[in-house]
Amino acid sequence: MRLAAVLVATVLALAPTAFAQDLKVVVQGRDSIVLTPADLAALPRGKATMVEGGKSAVYEGALLNAALVQAGVVHGDRLMGRYLNQVVLVKAADGYVSILSLAETDPFYRTNPVVIADRKDGAPLDAREGPYRVVVDGDLKPSRSARQVTTIEVKPAF
């Protein structure tokens, strides 16, 4: 009985925080990769500020570009010509899909970071947003900042 109470208390204590999970990165024409929470923590990190519901929040996490580079995506000064035709689909657990051009994710083309956030205002994301939320710093509306991200896919736009 006492063990059950301790177990229930532990689960309830963890409930507000999203459980860490792997993130799948799919690049058309290549093998997909799976990034574990440890893999994402080891990538270069950035911060992105977003205003939602009149409140400003600072999100922190792995740079999206760094995760795409891990998956073999062309980046930096090599990102030109036919590679600029590619889009990044950010897929959420509830079926929501956000779309960015590949150039929008690359610091060679954009000064504001795009992050795969796992923290908000210094604390882990809660279950409503996490375990990962892609946040596009500089967007005036949070429409492209998908919550509960499960998969990131890169493919040609047409």
Side-chain angles (χ1 to χ4, degrees):
M1 178 80 165
R2 187 178 244 183
L3 179 60
V6 169
L7 183 60
V8 168
T10 302
V11 170
L12 290 176
L14 293 175
T17 303
F19 293 103
Q21 70 181 37
D22 294 345
L23 180 66
K24 188 173 184 181
V25 181
V26 179
V27 180
Q28 187 171 317
R30 294 185 170 271
D31 292 334
S32 61
I33 66 167
V34 176
L35 297 173
T36 66
D39 294 332
L40 287 165
L43 291 175
R45 295 178 68 81
K47 292 181 179 181
T49 301
M50 182 172 67
V51 177
E52 187 173 27
K55 292 182 176 178
S56 181
V58 177
Y59 288 83
E60 181 182 344
L63 294 173
L64 175 57
N65 176 258
L68 297 178
V69 168
Q70 287 288 312
V73 171
V74 172
H75 64 285
D77 61 359
R78 292 185 44 230
L79 180 57
M80 60 181 143
R82 65 184 170 111
Y83 298 114
L84 290 175
N85 170 31
Q86 296 185 26
V87 293
V88 178
L89 305 173
V90 179
K91 298 180 178 183
D94 65 358
Y96 187 83
V97 177
S98 177
I99 302 172
L100 296 99
S101 72
L102 182 58
E104 288 180 289
T105 69
D106 197 301
F108 189 77
Y109 287 92
R110 177 182 174 87
T111 56
N112 294 14
V114 180
V115 300
I116 304 169
D118 54 13
R119 302 186 71 73
K120 177 181 178 181
D121 293 331
L125 293 180
D126 63 22
R128 185 181 147 271
E129 288 189 285
Y132 307 113
R133 181 170 190 172
V134 169
V135 180
V136 184
D137 190 66
D139 276 5
L140 299 178
K141 297 285 185 182
S143 303
R144 298 191 301 172
S145 294
R147 298 177 244 207
Q148 299 178 339
V149 174
T150 59
T151 306
I152 296 171
E153 182 179 346
V154 180
K155 67 182 192 175
F158 50 87

